[in-house]
Amino acid sequence: MAPLILDGKTLSKKTEALLLEKSTELKAKYGFVPVLATILVGSDPASCTYVRMKKNACQRVGLDSMSVEMDESTTTEQLLAKIHELNRDSRVCGILLQHPVPRHIDEKACFEAIAPEKDVDGVNTATFGRMTMGSFAYKSATPYGIMSILEEYGIELEGKEAVVIGRSAILGKPVAMMLLNANATVTICHSKTKNLPEVVKRADIVVAAVGKPRFVKAEWIKDGAVLIDAGYNPGNVGDIDLENAAAKSSAYTPVPGGCGPMTIAMLMKNTMESAEKACKEASKK
Ligand code: NAP
């Protein structure tokens, strides 16, 4: 049987349509237009593109976006001061610091400075800890998108062997914790993992978050596995050799059109949720 294509593009559009309804409702009920603040330090072309895509998405779902563009020479102290200012701004419901920042900046300190109630990109330690322990937190956007795709297509996770390749703070680790919380049996692999092909061969669900084009080979894949390719490399190529591996799978996310569009949709979803909470809080006062 032909594998099921896990279409993140269509799901992202569906998600955005619901978010537009929500923002219209917030405007009508509370007269409030929520703001997502995006901070871009320097002028890295890829980062500029990502920020522009996020601003366009804000427009589509009825959020205002505030662009904070800072010079390449910005210091950690200056960036921290800006984040504190945005933390205090009641119109701002979400703060996104575009990654990566220039090397001389203490990125971790800046991520940590974002107030958890505005950490809609799920980047700080408190957010990760709360999510891992099953408490409320805004989930890191790409992992949240992956979990939403799995849910939309009814992919069963309980008791399944999930293998996550990659352990970054924004992708590998949080998606592993989310799969664990969904009762999958999770193995996290990284650059020091031994016998990676054999580990991947055990997986019912493979999540590739490596950052190397077509890194995961068809021979590593168990027949009928579900393939989640979070990778996005130059030339619109993912981290799984989907051309050859997809045929062995029961379902897979295409690249492009799988995990990518869902990341931005989830960022919007988190921001809208933060806005709704802020409106409800303000109306109590
Ligand atoms: P990252 O921070 O560079 O992490 C890569 C991970 O892959 C690391 O944990 C690394 O292990 C592991 N790795 C590297 N070589 C390996 C090997 N030979 N065997 C096994 N593991 C290996 O990357 P990231 O930020 O998580 O991104 C991963 C991919 O997802 C990239 O293609 C990126 O473009 C994509 N991405 C997509 C979205 C989206 O919106 N769709 C968002 C974010 C990222 P160590 O920890 O041992 O170094």
Side-chain angles (χ1 to χ4, degrees):
M1 208 164 64
L4 179 65
I5 297 173
L6 305 174
D7 180 351
K9 195 168 177 188
T10 300
L11 179 57
S12 72
K13 285 190 181 152
K14 187 170 144 187
T15 307
E16 286 189 2
L18 292 173
L19 292 174
L20 180 58
E21 279 176 25
K22 177 57 76 181
S23 70
T24 308
E25 184 191 316
L26 291 182
K27 262 175 237 168
K29 199 165 167 187
Y30 302 99
F32 184 72
V33 181
V35 174
L36 171 68
T38 57
I39 310 175
L40 175 66
V41 187
S43 54
D44 172 62
S47 294
C48 293
T49 304
Y50 289 135
V51 166
R52 196 173 54 246
M53 285 163 73
K54 287 160 190 171
K55 285 200 289 204
N56 291 343
C58 281
Q59 232 176 13
R60 291 196 297 272
V61 303
L63 291 170
D64 266 359
S65 58
M66 180 196 287
S67 290
V68 179
E69 289 174 14
M70 302 180 83
D71 196 76
E72 184 85 30
S73 63
T74 300
T75 63
T76 300
E77 289 65 34
Q78 287 166 330
L79 182 51
L80 284 171
K82 178 51 80 179
I83 292 169
H84 291 310
E85 185 189 314
L86 296 171
N87 281 341
R88 289 191 298 271
D89 186 334
S90 59
R91 290 169 312 145
V92 173
C93 296
I95 301 172
L96 175 120
L97 172 59
Q98 185 61 43
H99 160 91
V101 294
R103 278 165 182 263
H104 64 273
I105 293 179
D106 184 346
E107 184 177 83
K108 191 163 191 306
C110 295
F111 279 150
E112 297 300 332
I114 299 172
E117 66 276 14
K118 298 191 181 189
D119 182 20
V120 290
D121 206 22
V123 292
N124 71 34
T125 308
T127 306
F128 179 80
R130 290 180 63 78
M131 179 278 292
T132 299
M133 300 306 281
S135 300
F136 175 79
Y138 295 110
K139 297 185 184 85
S140 186
T142 306
Y144 190 13
I146 291 171
M147 298 306 286
S148 302
I149 291 174
L150 292 169
E151 190 185 346
E152 173 74 8
Y153 284 91
I155 307 286
E156 208 184 312
L157 299 174
E158 188 161 314
K160 301 288 181 189
E161 290 267 355
V163 170
V164 178
I165 315 167
R167 55 174 167 182
S168 71
I170 56 150
L171 220 174
K173 276 186 191 141
V175 80
M177 291 306 122
M178 290 177 202
L179 289 164
L180 180 66
N181 286 343
N183 293 326
T185 302
V186 183
T187 304
I188 307 174
C189 303
H190 45 79
S191 65
K192 308 290 183 293
T193 297
K194 295 209 164 59
N195 306 323
L196 183 63
E198 278 146 62
V199 178
V200 175
K201 194 93 193 169
R202 293 204 307 256
D204 302 306
I205 296 147
V206 179
V207 180
V210 194
K212 294 187 173 167
R214 301 191 183 96
F215 175 78
V216 178
K217 308 298 177 210
E219 311 82 82
W220 306 1
I221 305 298
K222 179 165 89 176
D223 283 337
V226 173
L227 305 181
I228 303 294
D229 192 345
Y232 194 67
N233 304 292
N236 278 345
V237 173
D239 288 349
I240 301 180
D241 178 12
L242 283 173
E243 252 172 56
N244 297 303
K248 291 186 85 180
S249 73
S250 57
Y252 71 95
T253 55
V255 179
C259 298
M262 286 304 290
T263 297
I264 294 188
M266 293 300 108
L267 177 69
M268 298 299 124
K269 189 171 179 182
N270 280 342
T271 308
M272 204 68 75
E273 195 172 342
S274 167
E276 192 169 18
K277 278 181 197 291
C279 286
K280 285 184 179 160
E281 279 305 310
S283 70
K284 279 188 208 155
K285 287 175 192 161

